Amino acid sequence: MLWIVSIIWGLLIPALFLFTGLSARIRNWAEHLGRKWFFVIGIYFVIFSVITFVIDLPLSYYAGYVREHAYGLSNQTLGKWFGDALKGLLVGLITGALFLWVPYLLLKKSPHRWWLYTGLLAIPFLFLLILIQPIWIDPLFNKSGPMKDKTLEGSILRLAERAGIEGSRVYEVEKSEDTKALYAYVTGFGDTKRIVLWDTTIARLNEPELLSVMAHEMGHYMLGHIWKQILFFSVLIMATLYAIHRTANRLINKYKARFGFDQLSDIASLPLLILLCSLYILIITPIDLAYMRHHEREANRFGLEITMNNHAAATASVKLQTENLGVPRPGTLYKLWRASHPTLEERIDFCNSYRPWEKKEPLVYGEMFREQK
Ligand SMILES: [Zn+2]
């Protein structure tokens, strides 16, 4: 229900900005304050974001704080929740003020091809985001440091070496102040390459389970799933931008009197871009999720092949699902629009039955594994 409400909300609010002429009025303020084109864009974005942040606050408080506590998933104090929300807003404001002028410049200079250039530029931008997130963004929200349990760290690093991930470090994130949910991932590249574990995960899983989770995450890393996701998503974004390009101008022509702008390159069009983007993303979501589930299955295969510990992988899946209160038997709507992972049933069946090594069959990813030194 919350998901449906938030989707409708996410379409309704930008529509209100447009049809009441509020967006055009914000642009007027921004022009008055900023004068120069570049500053007008930045000031509009700041005013727009702060107003939407305030309007969204009740819903985000209910979804992110009230419900999380009602289900016993959250350890957050109200102060920490609100502080994190403000930090999130600030990160968004800085990122937007720094980069939003790019698509608007393209809209101005190339009204017919802007969607193509914006889509192409989104690729390096997303790569940059992935690169700086673990070092600049994540530390704003939670403390992290080297792993406390050195024996366990040694086992994880040995597994990483066998998986072909060398010279990485293991970070333990103090996430238990926020949540009871479990999570682990491998991220970054080059100097920012790191294996990250939430302290909740370390506390709840035994060593074989933890290693099977890590083997799965290392699978994502070694199989290049992050990069493939970015490229795949960029293609979908390009299609979305093209669809926006085709529809936005028609809407502007029809409603320009109410909107208070007659060009898409006018910064007052931001709510229109957001509205159409949310609408089209709804259409591409099932495609992207199906691709993600494919990667999840391959990471499961990678994890089983390297650990050969079917039972630990299965019990770890159960624990993750139970602790995170995942939906055990999702319906069709949930599967199509929400499920980034195969169902628990599918995962356990696969964990129990996938044993090519017992039948002396070749491993799919065996070539990638290295001998232990
Ligand atoms: Zn995964």
Side-chain angles (χ1 to χ4, degrees):
M1 281 309 294
L2 259 178
W3 173 68
I4 291 170
V5 168
S6 65
I7 284 174
I8 297 170
W9 189 257
L11 299 173
L12 204 68
I13 299 303
L16 273 174
F17 272 85
L18 286 171
F19 284 97
T20 58
L22 178 60
S23 184
R25 248 175 290 155
I26 298 174
R27 176 209 50 209
N28 294 344
W29 296 335
E31 277 174 349
H32 183 73
L33 291 166
R35 289 167 204 281
K36 288 208 168 64
W37 176 83
F38 177 82
F39 295 113
V40 172
I41 302 258
I43 293 168
Y44 175 96
F45 183 71
V46 170
I47 300 174
F48 174 79
S49 304
V50 172
I51 297 176
T52 37
F53 177 80
V54 174
I55 298 176
D56 288 345
L57 206 55
L59 188 63
S60 36
Y61 167 71
Y62 183 70
Y65 187 82
V66 178
R67 294 316 296 164
E68 293 280 320
H69 276 276
Y71 282 113
L73 273 172
S74 179
N75 293 329
Q76 256 179 344
T77 60
L78 189 57
K80 174 76 160 73
W81 176 83
F82 191 62
D84 281 2
L86 283 180
K87 281 183 207 165
L89 172 68
L90 205 66
V91 171
L93 288 180
I94 294 170
T95 322
L98 282 177
F99 295 103
L100 188 63
W101 62 272
V102 179
Y104 274 96
L105 184 71
L106 291 169
L107 268 166
K108 204 161 71 165
K109 298 278 178 206
S110 178
H112 298 292
R113 291 271 178 277
W114 69 273
W115 55 272
L116 179 68
Y117 303 137
T118 308
L120 288 174
L121 282 175
I123 303 171
F125 178 73
L126 289 171
F127 273 90
L128 184 75
L129 223 54
I130 298 266
L131 181 71
I132 63 167
Q133 169 122 19
I135 40 174
W136 285 355
I137 313 287
D138 291 342
L140 297 175
F141 296 91
N142 292 98
K143 274 183 236 140
S144 71
M147 228 179 128
K148 294 188 189 90
D149 185 336
K150 291 296 163 195
T151 331
L152 196 54
E153 184 183 35
S155 314
I156 293 172
L157 287 173
R158 273 195 300 283
L159 182 68
E161 209 168 278
R162 275 185 58 219
I165 304 172
E166 271 173 19
S168 62
R169 278 158 290 179
V170 187
Y171 287 83
E172 182 173 335
V173 185
E174 292 177 26
K175 200 71 185 178
S176 50
E177 66 168 327
D178 290 342
T179 180
K180 293 186 175 70
L182 312 183
Y183 200 55
Y185 53 97
V186 181
T187 186
F189 60 87
D191 278 348
T192 73
K193 180 164 68 186
R194 55 190 63 201
I195 298 165
V196 185
L197 277 163
W198 288 5
D199 55 356
T200 47
T201 316
I202 301 169
R204 292 291 176 160
L205 301 184
N206 63 35
E207 182 168 337
E209 286 167 344
L210 194 70
L211 288 177
S212 79
V213 169
M214 291 322 299
H216 168 104
E217 299 306 328
M218 290 168 190
H220 280 310
Y221 188 82
M222 286 308 291
L223 300 174
H225 287 169
I226 312 170
W227 318 128
K228 288 177 186 165
Q229 270 291 323
I230 290 183
L231 290 179
F232 188 74
F233 191 65
S234 302
V235 172
L236 292 178
I237 282 293
M238 204 108 66
T240 303
L241 291 173
Y242 180 68
I244 292 174
H245 172 66
R246 293 302 299 266
T247 40
N249 285 313
R250 266 182 237 167
L251 285 168
I252 292 176
N253 279 335
K254 201 166 173 192
Y255 297 108
K256 55 188 166 203
R258 296 194 83 167
F259 289 176
F261 59 89
D262 56 7
Q263 297 289 326
L264 195 56
S265 58
D266 188 324
I267 182 66
S269 73
L270 187 64
L272 182 63
L273 292 179
I274 293 175
L275 175 74
L276 292 173
C277 202
S278 314
L279 206 61
Y280 293 126
I281 281 191
L282 209 55
I283 299 170
I284 62 173
T285 297
I287 309 170
D288 196 40
L289 286 177
Y291 190 56
M292 282 174 93
R293 290 195 295 271
H294 162 67
H295 282 164
E296 288 305 329
R297 286 189 201 99
E298 290 315 302
N300 284 344
R301 191 190 309 281
F302 185 100
L304 285 171
E305 288 188 351
I306 198 167
T307 61
M308 296 184 187
N309 194 342
N310 300 65
H311 187 72
T315 54
S317 295
V318 175
K319 279 194 191 171
L320 287 174
Q321 187 93 4
T322 318
E323 297 289 332
N324 295 344
L325 296 184
V327 180
R329 286 190 200 84
T332 315
L333 187 75
Y334 186 96
K335 254 191 215 168
L336 283 173
W337 266 278
R338 303 277 288 153
S340 57
H341 288 68
T343 63
L344 181 63
E345 187 180 17
E346 253 181 87
R347 268 188 285 170
I348 294 176
D349 282 346
F350 186 71
C351 287
N352 286 335
S353 60
Y354 189 70
R355 304 164 188 270
W357 53 90
E358 284 182 3
K359 291 171 253 164
K360 301 278 181 276
E361 286 167 8
L363 303 180
V364 177
Y365 300 116
E367 302 274 300
M368 299 178 78
F369 304 152
R370 304 202 184 146
E371 286 299 315
Q372 205 152 4
K373 279 177 201 152

